[in-house]
Each structure stands twice: as C-alpha cells, then as structure tokens.
Amino acid sequence: MNAHAEAIPVEHPAGETVLVAQGVSKAFNGIYALKDVDFELRAGEVHALLGPNGAGKSTLIKILDGVQPQDEGTVEVDGRERSHSDIATVFQELSLVPCLSVAQNIFLGNEIRNALGLVQKKKMNSIAKELTDSLGLHLPPEELVENLSVASRQLVEIAKAIHRDARVLVLDEPTSTLTKADQLLLFKSIRDIQKSGVGIIYVTHRLTEVFELADRVTIIRDGRKVLTADVADMEMQSLVREITGTEPDEPGPAKEDFDRYTHPELTTTSSSGPKLQVSSLAGDRFSNISFTASAGQIVGIAGLIGTGRTELLETIGGVRRGTAGEITLDGRFVRFKHPWEALHAGVALVPEDRHRSGIILQHSIQRNLTLAHYKALRKGGLVDNKAARTLIHGLVDTLQVKTSSIDSPVQSLSGGNQQKVVFAKWMQPGMQVLLLDEPTQGVDVAARQEIYRVIHRFAEEGAAIVVASSDFVELQELCDEIYFMTSTSMSEPEKVTSDTTDQYIYSRLNERVLESHERDQY
Amino acid sequence: MSATNTRFVRPLWSGRSAGNFIREYFVYIALVALVAFFSIASPVFFSAQNFANVGRQTAIVSIIAVGVTFVIVNAQIDLSVGSVFALCGMVSGLALQYISNFWLLGALAAIAVGVIFGFINGLLTVKLGVPSFLVTLGMLGVARGIALIITDTRPVLIANRPFFSIFGDSNILGIPIAVVWTVVIVALGVIILHKSVFGLRVFATGGNPQAARFTGVNTQRTIILSFVITGGLVGLSSLLFTGIAHAARPDVGVGLELDVIAAVILGGVSLFGGRGTIIGALAGSLIIGMMNNGLVLMGVDSSVQQIIKGLIIIAAVSLSKK
Amino acid sequence: MSATNTRFVRPLWSGRSAGNFIREYFVYIALVALVAFFSIASPVFFSAQNFANVGRQTAIVSIIAVGVTFVIVNAQIDLSVGSVFALCGMVSGLALQYISNFWLLGALAAIAVGVIFGFINGLLTVKLGVPSFLVTLGMLGVARGIALIITDTRPVLIANRPFFSIFGDSNILGIPIAVVWTVVIVALGVIILHKSVFGLRVFATGGNPQAARFTGVNTQRTIILSFVITGGLVGLSSLLFTGIAHAARPDVGVGLELDVIAAVILGGVSLFGGRGTIIGALAGSLIIGMMNNGLVLMGVDSSVQQIIKGLIIIAAVSLSKK
Amino acid sequence: SSDASDGTSSASDGKAVVVDAASIAPAGIVGKGKNGEEPALVDKLQLSDADKKKVADGKFSVGISMNTMDIDWSRLTIEGIQKTLTGLGVQVVGVTDAKFKVQQQISDLENLITKKPDAIISIPTDDVATAATYKKVAAAGIKLIFIHMPASGLTYPADYQAVVAPDNQGNGEIAAAGLSKYIPQNGAAGIVDYGVDFYTTNQRTLRVTEWFKQNRPDVKVKTVSFTDTNAVGPVAANFMTANPDVKGLFVIWDSPAMQSVASLRNAGVNIPITTIDLGTEVAVEMASGGYIKAIGAQQPYDQGVAEALAAANALIGNKVPAWVALPPVAVTPGNLLKSYESIFHTKPPQEVLDACKSSGICG
Ligand SMILES: Nc1ncnc2c1ncn2[C@@H]1O[C@H](COP(=O)(O)OP(=O)(O)OP(=O)(O)O)[C@@H](O)[C@H]1O
Ligand SMILES: Nc1ncnc2c1ncn2[C@@H]1O[C@H](COP(=O)(O)OP(=O)(O)OP(=O)(O)O)[C@@H](O)[C@H]1O
Ligand SMILES: [Mg+2]
Ligand SMILES: [Mg+2]
C-alpha cells in the first residue's frame, strides 16, 4: 500500500535480521525437494535466491510464506514464529482469481469493509488504480483478471503483494514475461519498498537482474544450499558456475536420441522465396504488420507489453482470426481457421501462457507429450505405449527436465521444468514454421542453452523460426534478425550484432512508440 | 490514458466473459419474451391473480436456488436438497405435534435440520476432500430414508393458524406471503453474495481455490458456510410447503434438486464455479415456473409440454450466444 | 462449455493426483468389501445365479456409464440418457411392429435414435457454446415428450424370439447375454478411451480445452463424438431392456441419468473433466448394483436401504482419502 | 344409481350439498377382470381348519414385490398380508419397493426368486413390461398372486394363481357420482388425470367419463393431466385459472388430490374435489369440511388379507378364483369415521377426530 507513498518513516534499520529459516527440509513422495536449508534475510536488503530449475526455490518460498508445511525446520520472523501477515508473496505460478476484478484480486483477503461487512468497492478501486499505475499498468481496476495477458497478470500479482505491506516481500520470478520497460518500473518500486526496511527475496533466471538489483545472493542446487554471498563479491562467470555446478563451457549430455527422431523426416522444401511471409496483417490489437522469415532463419520480434506480439503469433497459428492482410507459406496463401489446420501444414505455436494454453497441468508428462507427438506414435488408431515412453524419455533427457518419472503430473514439476515440457511438445519432425512466444520463460541458464541449440537445429533443417520474447538479451543471443513492433507498425528487419544489446532494443522500441504517437497526432 | 484501452483482450474463441454478460442479459430477455408470448396466447395469463400463482409456485425453487447459487459458485453441488426438504418438513411437523404447537418451534426445527444437514454436507466435502456430488448424493439417501422411517411413511398433519399465516396462505398488501419471503431471501442473497466480503470469497474459492488459499481465504469455511446457507433455506422453503399443504409428507421434494440446479444454471451460473448471480438464478427459476404455468393455461397436453419446455430451455440459452 | 481453462491452477498439495490414484484403488476395495459383507450376511448372495442377476441388473447402467465416462472426462454432462433410453426403445418397438419384425431392424432403429440424439446434444453444445447441462436437460424433455406422444403413452409389445435371444434372456456358456454385452462394451471402452489417440484427445479436451486446441485437437469433434458414443450405447442398452421386458414403455428410464452419473463419479471420474477410467466407472456401477441386490437379499426395509446406500457411498469415497 | 337432478339444485355452493354415501355407492362390483373375468368375492378364500394345518405344516415362505412403499395404501396392504400370513405360520422373506420403476421391479423379482420363496405376491408396476419376468417366477415353480391386475400374457392358473383387486371402475363411479352433485346443470367438471398409460388409473378415468356421459350428459368434462407425480398442485391451480367455469374436480388419487387442495386453497379457489383412496390427509381434509367431498376408497388392509389367503390356498394346491374383487367403499363426511375404522382397522387418528369435532359434519 505504501509503495507509491513518498515519506515513509523507516521502521526497521537496514541490516537487522527479519527472517530466519533453519534446517528446512521437504520431501515429495519420498524425494527431497529441500534438504536442511538455512536461510536468513535482513531488513532493507534484496536477497536473490538462485538455482537451476527444480532446485527447490519455489518450494522454499512456499514454506517461508506458510502455504506449504515443511517436514522439518523452523521459520521465524522478528524472532517469533511467522504469521500469515508477515510475508507477502508473488508466487511463480500466478495465483489470481480469474473471475474477479483487478481490484478485487489486489484486496482479496484484505478487503476494505464497512461496519456491516459490506465491501467498499469505490475505495478499493481507487487505491488499486493508484497502485497499478505506479507499476506502469494502466488498467481500469474493474477489469476482470481473466482478460489480462500474462505480463499484466504478473504486474497485478506484484501490486497485490506490495499492497499487503508486510515485513517480507517475496517475488518468485516476477519478470519472467516482463519487458525491460516494466522491469525498470518494478525495480523502482522495489527500491522504494526496500527503503522502508522491508526484506525482499527475489528469484530470477535472468542473471543480469541480480547485478542490477540484489545485495546478497543465495544459491541452492538439488535442494541444498550451495552458498550465500554478497553480490559485490560475485561476477557473472562464477554465478553461472555455482548455479549449474559445471564449468560454463562444458558440453551437455548427448542428444543423439532426439536428433535421430527429427532428422530423417524433416523435409526441407527447397523454395527460393521466404518460407513465411506476412503482409499488412491486422487482427485483434494489431494492424499493418508485415515481416518475413526464410527457411533456416530465426527472426525475433521485439515489442513492449500490449503491442500484440502474442496476438500476431496466434493469428498466424490459427488461434485467432485476422481481419485484413495476407499470410503465405512457401508462396501459397494460407488462412488457418484452427490450430489443427496450422499444425497440419507444419506451423506450430509455443504459447506464452503455459497454464492456459501450453499444458494440461493435472496430466502426466507422458500424456501431455504423447498428445502432441501422436503422429510418430500411433499404430492404427492406438498409441504405441512403448514407443511413446522411449521417445518421451529422450525428450525429457534432452531438455534436462527434472522429474522422478514421466508419469508425474506436470503440476508437480517446477515452473521452469513445466516450460521445458511445453517446448518439448513441438520438438518433432515435419515442422516448417515455429512460432515461439516467450519460449524460455523461467528456464535456467543451462537448459536455456539447450533450447537454443534445439531451435538452431530446427533452423538448420530448414524451418523458419519466429521468436517473440520480452527478454531482450534472449533476442540478441538467439536471433538472426529483429523486427521492432508497435501495435500499428512493424519496422524493417535489423541484423543482430554484438551492438544489439537489450539497452539498444529498449531504446529503439521507445523511439518507435514515440514516432507512432506522433503519427497518430498528425 | 490511451494505453488503458489497448490493454484489454478478448478471450479466444468463446468470448467467455462478454458472452457471459450477454447470457445473463438474455435470460431476462427470455423471461420477458415468455411473458409476452403467454399473454397473447392465453387471455387469463396476464393478471395479478395469475402472477400471484406463478410467484407462489416458484417460491420454493427460487429460495433454494439462492442457496444453491452460493454452493455452485463455490464449484460445489448439492443434490440433497429435495430429501432434506422432506425431512425438514417432517421434523417441523413432529415438533409441532409432540413438543409444542407453537409456530416458531416448528420454524426453528425445520431450519435447524436444514442447517445441520448443510453443515454435514459441507464438513464432509472439505474434510474428507470428497466430491460434493457424492457426499450430497449419499445424504440424499440418508435424509430421505430418515424422513420415511420416522413416521413409517405416514404424513404429519399440522394444525396451527399462525404457522399457516406466516408461511402459507396469507397476503401482505395483496402479495402472497411466499412471494414476500422470496423477495426477502433474494435481496439478502444479493447483498451477501454480491456486496459482502464473504461473497467475494465465495467467488474466489470457486474461481481459483488455490489462489484463494494462498491469499489467506479460509476456503473450507467458505464452502461449509455455503452449504449451511443452502440448508437453512431448504428448511425455510419446507415451511412454505407445509404452510400451504397443512401437512408434512416424507415423499415430497423428489427431484427438487434438479429443478433448482436447472434454474440456477439457466440463470447463467457456471457449474464450474466462480461465476453467476442471484438475480440470474431467480430469473431462471421464474422462466421454468412461467413455462409450467403458461403451458397449462394454454391447455397444452402434458407430453407436448415436456417437448416445448425442453426446446425453450435450449432456445433461451442458445440465444445467449451472439 | 467448461471453464477449467480459466482456472489456472488446481490445488497442488491436496494431493489430487496421488489421491486420485488411491481413490480409484479404493473403489475396488469397497467393491470387494461389499461382496465379502453380503456373502456373510446372506446365504444366497454368493452364488453363480445371484452374480448373474447382479450382472443383468447392472448391465444397462454399466453400458451407459461407459459412454457417459467419455462425456464427463470431456468436462461435459449428459442428462438426457434416461429419456433417450425410453425413446430408443419405443422407436425400436414400433419399427419391429410396423416396418418389419426383423431383429436387426429393431436394433438399428434404437441405436440410430440414440446416435442422432447424441449428435444433436454434442452439436448444440459445441456450436452454440451452451453448457451441456442445459442442452441435455432440454433434450431430456424433448425425448421424453416424443416417447410419450408417439403411442399416446401406450407401451409397444415386441414378439421376436431372435431379438430376445440376442439382447434379452439367453446365455453364452452360462453367462447372461446382458453380461456378455457389458464385457464387450467395457473392453471396447477401455481400448478407445485409454489406448487410442481419440481417447487421449478426450482427456486433453476435458483437462484443459484451450491447451488441447493449441495442441491441434479438434475439441469440438471430440465432444460431439463422445455424445454420439453415449447415444449409441443408450440405444444398445434400450435393447437390453426391451429384450427382457418384451415391450417398450415410454416412461422407463426416469432418473437413469442420475444412477449413471453416480456410478461414474463413484468410480473416480472427475466431474470437472480430464480424469477417470472406464473400469472405475464399471466398479462404481457394480457397487451400486451390488447394494441394491444385497440389501434386498438381506430383507432390509426399503427406507432403511436408502440410508444404508447413502452411507456406503459416503464411506466408499471418504475412505479414498487416506 | 344416482340422481343427478338432486345434486343440481344447490350445486354452486359446495357447503349446501350433503352427499349421502349410499346414494353414490354402486350396487356390487362394476368392473370386470383385466381379461374379462367375472368377479368372485373374498368368502371364496376362507380356509378350513384342515387347510390351516396344512399351511402351517408346509413351513412356507412368501416374498412381496410392491410398486411403491411410500403411500398409506402400500403400508396397509403389507400390514394385511403380513398379519394374516404370520397367523397362518407362513414367513414373509422380503418386501421390495420398485419406486414405480419397471427396471427396478424386474431386478426386485429376480432377487426375490434367488431367495426361493414358495409364493410371491406382487403388484406389477406395469402389466406389460414386467410380464417376461413374472413368467420367470412361474417357471421357477413359485406360486404367483397378483395385486390389482395380472401381467399381460400370463395364464391362469398355469402361470399365476389369483388376482385380488379393488373394483377400480366402482371407485371411479363413486367419485363421479359424488362430484356430479356439485356440478350445476350444463356446468363443467374437471379431471386431473395421470398422463401415463397405466391400467389402474385408466380404469378409474374411464368409468368417470363414462358415468358422466351416461348420467349427466349436460356436463362438460375437461381434462388436464400430469406426468410428474410430485408437481400436481401447480397443474391443478393453473388449470383452474384457465378454466374458471369448472365447478368441481376429480383427482385421480389421494396424494395428487391433496397437492391440488394445497395449491387451490393458496390461490383462493374453493372448489369441491372427489378422489380415490382414503389416506389420512384426505380424511382430515374431508373431516374439516374442506375441499374433499367424496372418496371412492379401496380396502387395502382387507385386500392384503385376501391376498394372503389366496396365497395360502395356492400353496396347498387349492384352486383360487381368477379375479377376486373387493367392493369399493363410498366415503363421505357422513360415514367418514366409520369407514376409516373399517378400512384402516384402527381408530381414526386424533387429527381426524379433532377435525370432525370442530366442523361437526361427521356422522
Ligand atoms: N506438489 C509437488 N509434488 C511433487 N513434487 C513437487 C511438488 N512441488 C515441487 N515438487 C518438486 O520439488 C522440486 C523443487 O521444485 P521447485 O518448484 O521448488 O523448484 P524451483 O527451484 O522453483 O524451480 P524453477 O526454477 O523451475 O521454478 C522439483 O523437483 C519439483 O518437481
Ligand atoms: N493491454 C493489455 N492488457 C492485458 N492484456 C493484453 C493487453 N494487450 C494485449 N493483451 C493480451 O496479452 C497477451 C499478449 O498480447 P500483447 O498484446 O500484450 O502482446 P505481447 O507483445 O506479446 O505482450 P506480452 O509481453 O504481454 O506477451 C495476449 O493474450 C493479448 O490478448
Ligand atoms: Mg520455481
Ligand atoms: Mg506476449
């Protein structure tokens, strides 16, 4: 509630210990997710909690918050047992109520009520508006959360936690789908809160953020604490080494199985023109968009939140209907009315919102992947179970999905591992075009490299790849060319070089937004 | 400010939220259309007396629908209302007969039985983590069995004027008392579900139980309370029945649960929880009651009535899309 | 249509998936426990003849339950099965009476009617985007009304030996033909739901329709087909009824939908879609059939039976949670 | 057997009419058996002392399959059967309740056969669709006694040994004649009928309409039917709204009649009603001078006794008449208390007595 207020008296001197967790252990089905972890948080510090996917970060956070009981160990805040109101958390798996409004979500469990127990709607709305505005989220507070994009939901979630005004603020990968612009606003809010003496735990896989924001860092790996150190004493190289547990250049495990699966069938259509061509396309939230992607090319699309990158990819992939413009695939006009038509033509979409569109949470890894890979696995109308298990074990190994079994429900996986499963669905032969919307959100550094390798491999086989990512570092690392998108225009492509840094992309986007505003005005 | 407008999204395909809004709207249109149609088709339909009939005939379903709306918005279901309805009536009648023929005792007995069964339904659902479909299906059998056994299937006669006046056949300003009760309960339902903190938590629990819990909502209490509300309203409506029948019967209310659920769903409440309105449920109940009334007034054969009612239900909801 | 996709997260730590496994397991334990109990309680229970009775008596519910499992795993529901059951029988009987008394004609007529109604249910559900609860509730009325009208509520007599042998009262190796049909349908159901690509799509559609679409599943076709399967099986089971009754009646099957849904849910199939097994549904059906049989053999009073059945349902599912 | 003009004089005001039971009761049995049998009376079933000994020595057991157990009628029938059989040393091994569902009754009968009783007494939920199963009863060598009607296609005495039934048509006649007294010349009467084809109810309605045709051709008879036995009240009330010219109702049996009373009273419509079957609720309504004016009553207890005797006879190989009919009882306020006692074989409950006392119309 105080994030936006200016003069907050400092209640707790910085440096004093607020939260202490000792000997925390937690096992799921007999397998340790956390083993004897100690953790300590000081007032006024931003404490980065890092580790590979499935290390136990989110589990630790849920235990600190109290929503999940630990098997062993203690958690204390200010020297006494922590209560629910001590800690405000933004969980990794968004936990908003879709059918409630932004304001109702922000105030859930904390409603402003009158003497009769009735909700003070107006008051709540106006406070909610102030809060979301301060985070750069310009939304009517009465908007239902189910209508929001992932990024907007993430911001609402952050607003909700900030509003709780607790002793400890925990942010579990708050920026996984935010762009640089939102990230900067978020960091500003975090620093305000920091000043008021609140201790902040911050989880991220975007390691550059650690150096921008954090004071100290704790790394856990395989459920055990590896180290706690001042960020000032660390540098990128050593951070990566501690997280992965290997030297950065060490080669990953062999990927032969998977390569053999995709390789023989990939049909490189030897067309001279671009594989995918989009001309003057318009649809929900965007218009006048043109770009091309040739076989073997990885094309990036950069944009700010709300420019319609997701809608653009969804329109190409047959999820939404376009209202104007043309799409050609290998020179032939296509207009997919359903995703299955697109897939039939070899156009696959890796969606941004994994819980809604990417996976079926309560189903096993095997069931999720078999559904996508059925073409290779069916015998008659039936599924060849043995072949399925072999294939899926291969996929899971390739992407280093951390799980005890491929029969585990996807919801028991850590967030990053869930994302790997989403990606694994489309690691299959016959793909002509891959539309990737935030393909590595929440994925750790090592696995991210593996995903990049697979993407490159698809490109080598002749597929055209389109990547929309709010992680501008990723665009630079992965893409051959970048387009800058606003909701009403697309730039000419720019070749990616070592100068195409995230800072550069961010400023180019701001320029374009200003330009288009000026155009609008005249 | 310009950014504000560009940031909304239409959900994919279904137009879910917009559609939902229109759906609620169309239930009311369907209601008005039915009134118009029957007014033309039958000369006696559009009269104060007949509307009083419709109000009386729908009171029981409407009142229970208010409670069941809470339950369904919570993503739960209650199949036991018909049986508990019978049991409430029986216990109330027996209390009046054997303990004291004071109307308030009968009223409290019925409501207490309803509340107890609601509490048991809710408690078993949340504590055993069992689907409420099965819990309440089980309680359906239990309540009916008890209702039949306590008097060995005999009805219990009630002779209590004040009781009849309060729950049965009197009028207030020309409005049947059953309609007055309906209005009071619907108004309370609207306030509690749509204006109170508890109501917000019902929606949260039905919309995303995990998020609600993470945020400190006691979802178990929310669910139990919703069943208790339903139970209490079942008790109340059993009084409206015994108030006009002047007797309690152990075999009444068979299939009542389906009428109520149909009304609630027709009113736009989602079986999957998290969305719906009390007023919609009332409209759903009125549509069904109106059909029952109007088709008889038109002299339609009872088999044909079933077909027409089926078609109207389908038409009413299908119009709601686009 | 389901709203599950708007529910981002299902409770994690309620151990839903593990619990679900144990739940399915417990249905079988409950079944075995019931057999043991009744064998002790009634001397005639544990006999080939009585098991044949139970098999015959549960055949209709079991077979329809196979279809309804598809529908419910799809996160849909079908309330029309009881009425369509009556209509299939009537049309089949009339076809035999008025067109040709050839058994296959009667069989095809029944199955065709079922398939048509299933198709309409499915089509309206997906094309109008209307909750299947209401569509099938509407069709419940429509089918019943037609069944009652075509003969002005009179039963239709059937006299066709081959028909009776194939669907009614013959035995194969001492096993009643109805049981043989049940086994065949359950086996086919298991293969289609649990081994085929179509089955995978059914689970996906019910588990998260939006994710299923993104993965290239034609969810509309999946839903329609599931209703069609159910319709066909309703037609088949109507033959099993007319095969032993030697007549078709327009008022049979009232409330059958609830029996079937209860069996399916008791068998561990989630009303919210995405999980369940055919064998579980069969076990659920057998538990209910076994209770009906065993309690009668024990000579338990019918009111008391209802209480006991209710308690057994609650006990069976509550044991499933540790 | 009834004087129409007698009832028309003061018909529009229900209270002024006093219906004498004798004037509406038919002389003897009106209907015939389902297969055209002539009625036999209960005396034909009496057992000699030697017979009784044979029965006791046989250590017989009997199963009972009912269509419903939720109404007074079934309770009384069972009571009559059970008391009589127990007195004869016959054991009742099970009473099943089909809840009006054919499928359920088929299962019930199969389950009863498993218990191998010597005889089964049963009322078919439906005379057609259960027939094949009743044949199985016969095939299992179990004696079969029907209540109300035999299942279709079964033969007497090979498949079944007796039918004990009320005179449904006679009951219908009582209800019609009683109602007629309240319908003015050229007025209209209403029938609230069960909308499903069912032998027993068909017989009643058939006779009611016939009776009006024969004896009161001036009366216009209008019909409304219901299929949901639990939602009759609104149907009756709505019917009266649409047909205000109707001056009296015949409702097919007592429970729908009481549902109609409740709804009509609530809607402020006061109209005479006649019905069939004497239950406690209709008794109180009648006793208090309410809507119910005349009832054609069965004698379920005595029927039960007769069924038990028929079974006993069949068990020891005595031939029982194909159709034993019990005469209907015309119940009006004037003979209510007496009738109640003779039908229920107990004193009328306090509610009935209280109602009589305050209204002062009971004889
Ligand atoms: N409910 C659960 N049931 C079973 N296993 C679980 C459950 N929750 C977490 N786990 C397991 O615990 C381990 C730690 O998961 P956690 O979510 O804490 O990882 P994380 O460090 O947050 O990873 P990520 O960076 O991918 O978010 C994982 O192996 C995960 O599969
Ligand atoms: N202003 C907005 N607020 C909330 N959601 C939006 C907004 N604009 C678009 N969306 C939705 O957010 C999702 C992403 O589309 P958006 O227009 O934000 O494109 P994007 O550039 O991919 O942004 P993001 O970074 O949020 O994915 C889509 O589902 C879209 O419908
Ligand atoms: Mg995590
Ligand atoms: Mg996006």
Side-chain angles (χ1 to χ4, degrees), chain A residues 84 91 95-96 99-100 104 108-109 111 117-119 137-138 140 143 146-147 160 284-285 305 314 319-320, chain B residues 4 6-13 17 191 195-197 200-201 203-204 207-208 211 214-217 274-275:
Chain A
H84 183 73
F91 294 100
S95 42
L96 297 173
C99 57
L100 295 185
Q104 284 169 333
L108 186 61
E111 300 83 357
L118 301 188
V119 175
L137 182 68
H138 301 281
E143 183 57 35
E146 66 193 347
N147 294 343
K160 176 175 152 188
D284 300 339
R285 302 289 143 230
I305 284 196
E314 287 179 349
V319 175
R320 295 170 184 272
Chain B
T4 306
T6 62
R7 297 185 75 119
F8 303 131
V9 198
R10 258 181 322 195
L12 311 183
W13 299 288
S17 70
I191 292 174
K195 309 275 173 206
S196 83
V197 171
L200 212 54
R201 292 178 177 184
F203 278 98
N208 185 346
F214 278 12
T215 317
V217 173
R275 53 183 91 231

Side-chain angles (χ1 to χ4, degrees), chain D:
Chain D
S1 57
S2 149
D3 186 0
S5 59
D6 172 295
T8 51
S9 50
S10 55
S12 47
D13 181 8
K15 284 195 186 106
V17 181
V18 177
V19 182
D20 172 21
S23 72
I24 56 173
I29 306 290
V30 179
K32 289 208 173 23
K34 192 167 156 243
N35 304 314
E37 300 91 343
E38 288 301 325
L41 291 181
V42 184
D43 341 334
K44 290 267 170 29
L45 300 174
Q46 293 313 327
L47 293 164
S48 68
D49 285 351
D51 287 344
K52 282 185 185 160
K53 183 160 172 2
K54 258 204 237 168
V55 172
D57 290 348
K59 301 241 176 312
F60 295 117
S61 64
V62 170
I64 304 172
S65 162
M66 301 295 284
N67 56 352
T68 177
M69 285 298 294
D70 291 352
I71 52 180
D72 283 344
W73 177 89
S74 2
R75 207 166 34 77
L76 279 173
T77 303
I78 297 293
E79 227 175 278
I81 297 176
Q82 241 162 356
K83 276 213 180 116
T84 312
L85 287 181
T86 311
L88 291 168
V90 177
Q91 194 200 350
V92 174
V93 292
V95 182
T96 64
D97 172 7
K99 305 199 182 317
F100 291 112
K101 288 183 188 162
V102 175
Q103 250 174 291
Q104 181 65 43
Q105 189 162 39
I106 290 174
S107 301
D108 288 345
L109 288 167
E110 286 175 350
N111 293 339
L112 283 178
I113 294 171
T114 306
K115 299 182 83 172
K116 302 194 174 61
D118 300 293
I120 287 179
I121 301 173
S122 176
I123 173 168
T125 294
D126 165 55
D127 53 333
V128 175
T130 48
T133 310
Y134 281 115
K135 283 212 178 105
K136 282 194 204 163
V137 174
I142 298 170
K143 303 277 189 236
L144 187 52
I145 310 298
F146 281 117
I147 306 176
H148 271 215
M149 60 190 162
S152 298
L154 273 71
T155 53
Y156 166 86
D159 296 328
Y160 67 94
Q161 286 66 45
V163 178
V164 177
D167 180 10
N168 277 309
Q169 293 217 11
N171 277 321
E173 180 162 329
I174 291 169
L179 183 60
S180 155
K181 310 251 178 191
Y182 297 88
I183 311 294
Q185 195 71 34
N186 298 322
I191 298 182
V192 179
D193 195 5
Y194 185 40
V196 177
D197 185 74
F198 189 69
Y199 176 75
T200 304
T201 49
N202 287 351
Q203 290 284 304
R204 296 174 182 176
T205 322
L206 183 76
R207 185 60 197 151
V208 171
T209 38
E210 258 178 15
W211 189 94
F212 271 101
K213 243 185 233 143
Q214 289 163 4
N215 302 291
R216 288 292 305 275
D218 61 300
V219 171
K220 192 166 170 217
V221 177
K222 297 181 174 183
T223 300
V224 65
S225 60
F226 61 89
T227 42
D228 181 353
T229 53
N230 275 301
V232 187
V235 171
N238 294 333
F239 174 73
M240 287 311 300
T241 306
N243 301 282
D245 56 329
V246 166
K247 292 291 178 257
L249 286 177
F250 163 65
V251 186
I252 190 76
W253 74 89
D254 60 337
S255 157
M258 284 313 295
Q259 293 178 49
S260 304
V261 168
S263 284
L264 291 171
R265 178 169 50 216
N266 212 226
V269 178
N270 192 351
I271 188 174
I273 292 177
T274 66
T275 187
I276 292 173
D277 284 354
L278 181 65
T280 309
E281 271 186 280
V282 274
V284 172
E285 183 66 20
M286 178 181 271
S288 58
Y291 286 67
I292 306 286
K293 300 301 182 194
I295 296 167
Q298 301 182 49
Q299 307 179 58
Y301 185 92
D302 291 351
Q303 250 163 249
V305 172
E307 282 141 15
L309 289 174
N313 273 300
L315 284 171
I316 54 173
N318 289 353
K319 189 158 188 222
V320 187
W323 194 54
V324 178
L326 281 87
V329 179
V331 182
T332 57
N335 71 353
L336 174 65
L337 294 176
K338 206 172 68 187
S339 309
Y340 193 102
E341 205 161 336
S342 83
I343 290 171
F344 280 78
H345 289 255
T346 55
K347 283 223 163 339
Q350 199 55 42
E351 294 96 334
V352 178
L353 297 175
D354 289 350
C356 276
K357 206 183 284 165
S358 55
S359 72
I361 58 170
C362 309

Side-chain angles (χ1 to χ4, degrees), chain A residues 149-151 177 305-306 308-311 352 437-438 468 470:
Chain A
S149 70
V150 179
T177 59
I305 284 196
R309 292 166 299 168
T310 294
E311 273 94 347
E352 161 189 61
D437 199 354
E438 313 285 359
S470 47

Side-chain angles (χ1 to χ4, degrees), chain A residues 55-91:
Chain A
K57 304 181 294 295
S58 299
T59 305
L60 178 60
I61 280 169
K62 284 181 198 152
I63 288 171
L64 296 182
D65 186 275
V67 297
Q68 198 165 58
Q70 66 269 35
D71 297 341
E72 285 164 46
T74 54
V75 180
E76 289 183 345
V77 171
D78 289 337
R80 50 185 167 70
E81 199 170 329
R82 74 101 164 71
S83 75
H84 183 73
S85 59
D86 287 334
I87 302 176
T89 306
V90 173
F91 294 100

